[in-house]
Amino acid sequence: MNILVVLIPVSLILGGLGLAAFLWSLRHEQYEDLEGDAWRILSEDDETPRGS
Amino acid sequence: MSDAAICPACIGLPEGQLAKAASNGTTQIILSLPGIHCVACINAVERALRNMEGVANARVNLSMKRVTVGTSLPIAPEELIETLEMAGYEARVLDTSLLGGQADAYGRGLMTRIAVSGFAMMNVMLLSVAVWSGAIGATQNLFHLISASIALPAILYAAQPFFQNAWRALSVRKLNMDVPISLAILLAAGMSLFETLVGGHHAYFDAAISLTFFLLIGRYLDYRSRKAAASAAAQLSALEVPRVMRLTNGVRQMVDFADLAIGDLIQVLPGGRIPVDGTITEGTSQIDRALLTGESRPALAKVGTEVTAGEVNMTGPLTIRAATVGADTTLRKMVTMVDQAEAVRNRYTAIADRAAAVYAPVVHILAFASFLGWLVASGDIRLSLNIAVAVLIITCPCALGLAVPAVSTTAAGRLFRAGLLVKDGTALERLAEVDTVVFDKTGTLTMPAAARDALDAETQSVALALTQKATHPISQAIAASLDGIAPAKLSDQQEHAGKGLSALHNGQKVQLGSGAWLGAGKGTYIKIGDRAAQKITLRSELREGALALVQGWQAAGLDIHLVSGDDADETAKIAKALQITSWQADTNPADKIAYINALSSKGAKVLMVGDGLNDTGALAAAYASVSPATAADASRAASDIVLLNDSLTPLIELPLVARAARARIKENFAISTLYNIVAVPIALAGFATPLIAAIAMSTSSITVLLNALRLKGKL
């Protein structure tokens, strides 16, 4: 049963990391153009987007 | 569940986007690109724009089908549009101020709450599984305590939208869907905390938090579909920033309509719509007053003639002194009138609101009755309260809350990808009931085109070269029908007001214009050198996809009518080509409205498809309406659905999607009702453990979501 003392915090921390990552991506406008970004990965255009 | 969940004014509040752009020394121009669909389009558009001088950056948003251009030098939107047209993409200006900022604080806030409650739900569920699978005594108690410490803060944060709405409703002594929701969440969390502290067996933390999670998803979907509708409306009114040619000390300058002042001199070229009420100070022309009078024959206009906004200048350039500007013009007043006509139609109540009105009181009465019943039977307040909470959780309208938003979001998304903007939230529900369609002819089913076959190759290339830069509708029609031909080299091009165009070609004089000017008969002629003038036959050509659309809708069981302001011969020809049996020619705007009202009074639910200003009244009078994006501002404002492409093909599946959406919504209501019939007796009888509540709730919610997703595939 002592293993629970380790496992419960571990699962909470891992879940918390996922939550933090999601909130970060949400704040940094990663979900503004899902369709376009799905296509852009196939683009061979090397030009880096300027100013965006 | 579309009670006052979101204040419409909160949608799309500007969030420092414009200010941020301005601080970089740039201004932003947003263009709508209805035709883009793939990675090649993104690259071509961005490359074309970046190569322009003065463009600092260009970023395409494929989901919204628009491009945001940041400029370092002042560039007119017209130049950007021209560049994109050379690259092969249709573009239209969007008014940045009307669209507001692109970031939306409300949607992002909801998303954050979903993430937080989802995180808490997963962890609480993990602990709950241990309890359900038989943890007892100290372990069970510890797990309940940990659950409480995760779930309570999460609930307090994530469920705020429900609490706020419920409080707002209660403070004006009303009931809405959020009242039972908030009550269930608060009671479940409070009871569970109490049970945990006294060492009881049943804690509903998982149910409380998963209830919050699923309802937030429903709220988010609801918000998404509302936002799509709201941004469609904004996009429509922003679609054509009216640009006006102003004369200042003899210099012509394009300015925004909003910048005009009374007394300004403006110039209107042939084919242009007169933007203001005023008096002609220079020029002679014929003007089309069909919009206001219904009179389709052009009227003569000369110096001193008073003109009204919305009239079309037909033949020669005119200079007009503006007497009214902005919202006072006749045209804008007409738009206001249409808005009022629309308000009548907007009394339609959405299915979800009707369901909520019945549902909320029933749930409260049921939960309260079960509390009283068990109190009388057992005399145990704690047990009775526990059972009442179970009833509230189980009946809580998870599935009901998801039923409508999930379906309408999926349907609107599907239509948007096909090139249709759904402007009004209830449009799909009304469209599903439509059984009769009334088409306008010119501009909707047909486009003007010139018959090219009668002309030889040289004449064709000369005609194209003459007309391709001209603004007159006939010139544009000729140029469009000669697409694909190499234009001849011309010099000394001239436009003769009210007559036509002339130029020099290989030393010969070439002319294109009215028969009277070229010494020939009635109609449009082209003359090369000393050769006899040749007639250019103008006819109306079916718009792309028109036949397929009419056949598709007839197959869908719709009764098709054609109403046109054109003469009987032309209308009959088109009606025959499209196999439409009921048609009426020579109609004015009032006739069209009367036609629709006559159909409606016989019990028909009429869908009006039209584009002209003379259709505006009919569009507003019909049960539902569709117009192409090329339609006049007022027509677009009056219609529920706007077609973004030139082809009519995307419209074919419109009634099918609408009917399928209505069917899915009804199925979803059936699913949640069925689930309540099974689950409520279990809860009333006191057998609802937290495990059963969690399973039942999740199953019904997920079933409803999956059912809505069926709309994405084949209908």
Side-chain angles (χ1 to χ4, degrees):
Chain A
M1 271 320 216
N2 287 338
I3 193 72
L4 284 179
V5 180
V6 180
L7 282 184
I8 290 177
V10 164
S11 84
L12 281 179
I13 289 170
L14 285 179
L17 281 180
L19 179 66
F22 176 75
L23 292 183
W24 178 87
S25 61
L26 189 67
R27 298 247 152 95
H28 285 78
E29 302 187 2
Q30 299 292 307
Y31 302 99
E32 296 292 306
D33 180 18
L34 293 175
E35 234 169 286
D37 291 337
W39 282 107
R40 271 174 206 274
I41 199 168
L42 301 173
S43 162
E44 289 179 10
D45 225 10
D46 270 341
E47 212 163 350
T48 44
R50 275 178 285 168
S52 55
Chain B
M1 188 168 31
S2 42
D3 45 76
I6 304 142
C7 78
C10 304
I11 294 168
L13 280 176
E15 220 196 34
Q17 284 277 322
L18 296 168
K20 193 170 78 189
S23 68
N24 294 342
T26 61
T27 50
Q28 280 194 324
I29 300 172
I30 302 180
L31 301 177
S32 162
L33 302 165
I36 61 168
H37 60 277
C38 65
V39 67
C41 313
I42 299 179
N43 288 336
V45 167
E46 291 187 352
R47 205 177 306 126
L49 289 174
R50 280 187 190 131
N51 288 341
M52 282 180 76
E53 198 167 326
V55 172
N57 58 61
R59 177 89 182 174
V60 172
N61 186 325
L62 187 63
S63 319
M64 315 261 277
K65 298 198 190 238
R66 40 173 96 137
V67 59
T68 311
V69 186
T71 56
S72 51
L73 300 171
I75 292 189
E78 286 82 12
E79 286 179 50
L80 298 175
I81 292 177
E82 205 166 298
T83 308
L84 287 176
E85 263 166 19
M86 299 288 275
Y89 296 96
E90 187 186 352
R92 300 205 179 88
V93 188
L94 291 174
D95 190 337
T96 335
S97 60
L98 282 175
L99 288 175
Q102 289 187 312
D104 61 312
Y106 187 84
R108 200 170 284 181
L110 272 184
M111 222 17 177
T112 314
R113 289 177 210 280
I114 292 176
V116 169
S117 58
F119 161 77
M121 185 184 80
M122 284 189 291
N123 284 294
V124 172
M125 280 283 179
L126 272 181
L127 299 166
S128 303
V129 170
V131 176
W132 297 334
S133 54
I136 40 158
T139 321
Q140 187 195 40
N141 231 348
L142 174 73
F143 278 20
H144 277 167
L145 272 175
I146 300 176
S147 300
S149 60
I150 302 170
L152 291 179
I155 290 172
L156 281 184
Y157 170 68
Q160 276 173 19
F162 307 117
F163 298 158
Q164 283 166 359
N165 272 321
W167 180 249
R168 214 173 295 147
L170 285 178
S171 57
V172 293
R173 292 160 190 278
K174 269 191 173 167
L175 274 184
N176 64 8
M177 273 304 217
D178 288 316
V179 177
I181 290 171
S182 304
L183 202 62
I185 294 173
L186 285 176
L187 273 180
M191 274 304 291
S192 308
L193 186 63
F194 176 74
E195 289 283 305
T196 306
L197 296 179
V198 300
H201 289 294
H202 289 338
Y204 284 104
F205 290 119
D206 49 347
I209 190 76
S210 57
L211 191 62
T212 314
F213 178 69
F214 281 115
L215 285 168
L216 277 171
I217 293 181
R219 199 48 58 90
Y220 183 72
L221 289 175
D222 190 37
Y223 165 74
R224 272 269 300 269
S225 57
R226 272 158 189 262
K227 194 183 130 198
S231 83
Q235 183 160 8
L236 291 175
S237 44
L239 204 51
E240 258 159 52
V241 191
R243 305 271 290 173
V244 186
M245 203 182 282
R246 183 169 64 184
L247 285 175
T248 330
N249 302 326
V251 183
R252 296 204 296 194
Q253 187 193 7
M254 292 297 276
V255 296
D256 282 352
F257 180 69
D259 294 341
L260 276 184
I262 291 176
D264 277 354
L265 281 179
I266 57 164
Q267 193 165 46
V268 182
L269 293 178
R273 192 173 294 285
I274 296 170
V276 295
D277 300 349
T279 321
I280 297 176
T281 59
E282 207 180 304
T284 318
S285 174
Q286 291 186 310
I287 53 174
D288 177 2
R289 301 199 135 146
L291 163 64
L292 299 160
T293 58
E295 167 69 56
S296 58
R297 250 177 318 166
L300 186 69
K302 53 182 194 293
V303 175
T305 309
E306 294 205 355
V307 290
T308 317
E311 294 172 350
V312 179
N313 180 14
M314 310 264 288
T315 44
L318 289 176
T319 308
I320 297 162
R321 186 171 297 280
T324 63
V325 293
D328 299 330
T329 62
T330 317
L331 188 60
R332 292 290 175 99
K333 280 188 190 149
M334 214 170 113
V335 174
T336 319
M337 266 157 50
V338 171
D339 281 349
Q340 284 160 356
E342 273 197 309
V344 177
R345 188 172 64 188
N346 286 350
R347 289 199 195 121
Y348 182 90
T349 329
I351 294 179
D353 293 337
R354 281 180 270 164
V358 182
Y359 195 85
V362 170
V363 171
H364 285 128
I365 293 168
L366 203 61
F368 191 64
S370 65
F371 174 73
L372 282 187
W374 276 91
L375 191 64
V376 170
S378 67
D380 185 348
I381 294 186
R382 192 173 137 196
L383 176 71
S384 318
L385 203 57
N386 247 330
I387 288 170
V389 168
V391 170
L392 265 180
I393 292 178
I394 287 224
T395 53
C396 214
C398 256
L400 204 60
L402 287 167
V404 176
V407 171
S408 57
T409 313
T410 322
R414 180 185 177 131
L415 292 173
F416 181 71
R417 274 189 297 280
L420 294 168
L421 272 180
V422 182
K423 213 184 90 186
D424 186 343
T426 63
L428 281 174
E429 289 174 24
R430 279 184 281 119
L431 265 167
E433 297 172 22
V434 157
D435 50 20
T436 310
V437 183
V438 176
F439 277 107
D440 165 52
K441 187 177 74 68
T442 319
T444 307
L445 285 176
T446 65
M447 305 255 241
R452 58 193 275 182
D453 313 335
L455 307 173
D456 61 65
E458 189 200 1
T459 317
Q460 285 186 7
S461 70
V462 171
L464 177 62
L466 273 169
T467 51
Q468 65 185 0
K469 286 258 167 84
T471 51
H472 194 278
I474 292 181
S475 302
Q476 286 178 346
I478 294 173
S481 63
L482 292 172
D483 187 39
I485 289 173
K489 278 208 172 59
L490 300 180
S491 58
D492 194 24
Q493 283 210 39
Q494 285 179 353
E495 204 167 321
H496 304 270
K499 294 170 183 162
L501 308 151
S502 76
L504 286 177
H505 172 58
N506 295 341
Q508 283 182 314
K509 191 174 184 190
V510 290
Q511 292 165 297
L512 188 150
S514 69
W517 182 47
L518 296 173
K522 231 176 117 192
T524 307
Y525 284 80
I526 182 166
K527 190 170 186 207
I528 297 181
D530 298 331
R531 290 161 61 184
Q534 300 177 63
K535 182 164 179 152
I536 300 179
T537 325
L538 284 170
R539 59 191 167 82
S540 41
E541 198 168 69
L542 282 184
R543 204 179 166 113
E544 189 188 336
L547 185 60
L549 174 66
V550 171
Q551 285 174 347
W553 280 9
Q554 276 168 342
L558 297 172
D559 187 17
I560 311 267
H561 295 251
L562 178 67
V563 176
S564 174
D566 221 333
D567 61 47
D569 285 355
E570 193 68 18
T571 312
K573 216 166 71 188
I574 296 295
K576 188 159 175 272
L578 294 173
Q579 294 165 354
I580 299 174
T581 46
S582 344
W583 54 271
Q584 192 178 348
D586 290 317
T587 52
N588 62 30
D591 293 341
K592 290 192 180 185
I593 298 177
Y595 194 92
I596 285 179
N597 286 340
L599 285 171
S600 308
S601 63
K602 280 188 240 155
K605 305 256 166 117
V606 183
L607 170 66
M608 172 78 201
V609 187
D611 77 317
L613 279 163
N614 54 351
D615 298 320
T616 308
L619 287 168
Y623 193 63
S625 50
V626 176
S627 69
T630 49
D633 286 352
S635 313
R636 284 199 313 252
S639 44
D640 299 315
I641 299 213
V642 173
L643 171 69
L644 292 175
N645 306 342
D646 275 343
S647 163
L648 291 171
T649 321
L651 283 177
I652 297 175
E653 68 168 14
L654 182 61
L656 306 178
V657 172
R659 285 178 199 171
R662 186 180 54 170
R664 291 296 101 78
I665 289 175
K666 286 192 173 162
E667 283 164 20
N668 281 350
F669 281 148
I671 291 172
S672 51
T673 311
L674 191 72
Y675 144 81
N676 273 333
I677 290 172
V678 176
V680 169
I682 296 178
L684 279 176
F687 295 126
T689 59
L691 175 64
I692 291 177
I695 291 176
M697 218 164 48
S698 312
T699 319
S700 70
S701 299
I702 290 167
T703 325
V704 164
L705 277 179
L706 290 178
N707 190 37
L709 285 179
R710 281 170 58 205
L711 266 179
K712 279 197 162 182
K714 250 185 95 194
L715 293 172

